[in-house]
Amino acid sequence: MNEKHQKSFTTVKSYRPFHSRYDPCKPIGVKYYSTPPNLFLGFQPPNLQQFSAKEALKKGTLWRFFYDYYENPYEKKGR
Amino acid sequence: MWFYEKKLQYPVRVSTCNPKLAKYLIEQYGGADGELAAALRYLNQRYTIPDKVVGLLTDIGTEEFAHLEMIATMVYKLTKDATPEQLKEAGLGEHYVNHDSALFYNNAAGTPWTATYIQAKGDPIADLYEDIAAEEKARATYQWIIDMSDDPDLNDGLRFLRQREIVHSQRFREAVEILKEERDRKKFF
């Protein structure tokens, strides 16, 4: 991958929603949202690194840069 | 014209009989941000968009039908052989009354698909921005379904579909850049 286009960002962000003492549900604590790689590149530059054809068919993209595995962020935290 | 290849874009596996999950998944079949809405939106908009991006809408619109077929297979497998009792327990009693186990274009809450979900404004920027939004909304829907699902085989297919939404969003964003570009014009500032 071009030096310039190394991943210098995160694809999961979080924030802490305000919780009032009058809110009946147990506070969720942290809320998560995705910010996938396509938000950060603009027009795709030439010569980005590729997956092998076989791998690409499995992953859903030819380009390593755009690959973004998703898992339930709340489960990971063991909630 | 289309050529049909008699196989799925990505293999669909389902580990358990789980009609409840089918009820959630149907959102991506006949929901506002589902694959049917996406395919029909793009394939219709392409007639009145600048030539440079017509091909992109054709390609992505076509792929959405391949995704629709994957969702249909998932829903079918999750409900195949389920008894009326099991469907009822999963909240699909109303569906059974109207459709038996047949698939139908409605969202997770049972509201039938409507063309008001999609737009063709005729303004290239407005249309492409709607398409970008549709991809991001579909991506989010896949995330919420993965969050609710405990079927690893199904999630594997859903992750593939989510990844495709990301790539499509990227290509629509590039289409906007192409239409903004001044490159080939004799314009001096």
Side-chain angles (χ1 to χ4, degrees):
Chain A
M1 192 181 297
N2 289 346
E3 209 53 44
K4 221 170 65 184
H5 299 289
Q6 291 283 342
K7 284 189 188 176
S8 56
F9 52 84
T10 56
T11 57
V12 182
K13 305 283 193 295
S14 62
Y15 65 103
R16 250 169 216 287
F18 171 73
H19 190 266
S20 151
R21 62 172 131 159
Y22 302 113
D23 295 345
C25 297
K26 184 169 162 275
I28 192 158
V30 179
K31 281 286 278 184
Y32 296 94
Y33 58 97
S34 280
T35 51
N38 61 312
L39 301 179
F40 301 94
L41 191 63
F43 210 101
Q44 181 176 333
N47 306 319
L48 284 189
Q49 244 187 41
Q50 301 182 356
F51 288 118
S52 70
K54 207 177 164 188
E55 228 179 334
L57 283 172
K58 186 104 200 358
K59 293 199 187 286
T61 178
L62 179 58
W63 309 100
R64 284 177 189 274
F65 181 88
F66 292 117
Y67 182 61
D68 180 42
Y69 183 83
Y70 179 79
E71 60 186 332
N72 183 349
Y74 302 99
E75 200 173 59
K76 211 175 65 184
K77 247 181 64 186
R79 285 184 60 96
Chain B
M1 187 171 84
W2 276 269
F3 288 100
Y4 183 76
E5 208 167 327
K6 198 175 163 54
K7 58 185 179 191
L8 294 175
Q9 190 188 4
Y10 187 89
V12 165
R13 284 232 176 78
V14 164
S15 1
T16 52
C17 171
N18 191 343
K20 187 106 178 217
L21 213 42
K23 185 177 155 70
Y24 298 149
L25 252 184
I26 209 79
E27 184 70 32
Q28 278 305 82
Y29 195 63
D33 310 313
E35 304 292 353
L36 178 72
L40 297 182
R41 180 189 294 116
Y42 306 152
L43 293 176
N44 180 61
Q45 285 176 355
R46 68 195 165 130
Y47 295 96
T48 48
I49 207 139
D51 296 349
K52 281 177 176 174
V53 300
V54 170
L56 179 71
L57 285 170
T58 307
D59 288 354
I60 297 182
T62 301
E63 187 179 338
E64 304 297 358
F65 276 128
H67 296 172
L68 188 72
E69 196 179 35
M70 283 176 63
I71 300 289
T73 308
M74 290 171 175
V75 170
Y76 170 70
K77 287 190 179 206
L78 286 165
T79 54
K80 183 174 175 290
D81 302 320
T83 63
E85 196 54 43
Q86 283 175 303
L87 292 173
K88 196 170 140 192
E89 271 169 38
L92 286 170
E94 295 80 355
H95 184 95
Y96 181 78
V97 165
N98 199 0
H99 306 290
D100 190 348
S101 294
L103 277 78
F104 194 68
Y105 294 113
N106 50 223
N107 71 8
T111 308
W113 190 87
T114 158
T116 54
Y117 287 158
I118 63 177
Q119 175 60 298
K121 190 51 82 175
D123 178 275
I125 301 302
D127 283 347
L128 285 170
Y129 272 46
E130 170 174 330
D131 302 347
I132 293 166
E135 295 293 336
E136 301 296 353
K137 287 189 281 181
R139 169 185 57 74
T141 307
Y142 281 122
Q143 290 169 198
W144 309 157
I145 296 172
I146 291 168
D147 289 354
M148 301 272 269
S149 155
D150 55 0
D151 186 326
D153 287 331
L154 186 81
N155 282 354
D156 184 55
L158 295 177
R159 286 198 175 98
F160 173 87
L161 290 167
R162 176 182 177 272
Q163 184 64 51
R164 296 309 299 154
E165 307 294 341
I166 292 173
V167 174
H168 290 171
S169 171
Q170 169 69 18
R171 300 306 171 220
F172 283 135
R173 286 163 198 270
E174 287 169 352
V176 171
E177 294 307 311
I178 288 171
L179 298 187
K180 277 157 67 180
E181 187 131 303
E182 306 273 6
R183 194 162 53 191
D184 299 328
R185 298 209 195 125
K186 286 191 179 136
K187 185 150 189 167
F188 301 96
F189 293 101

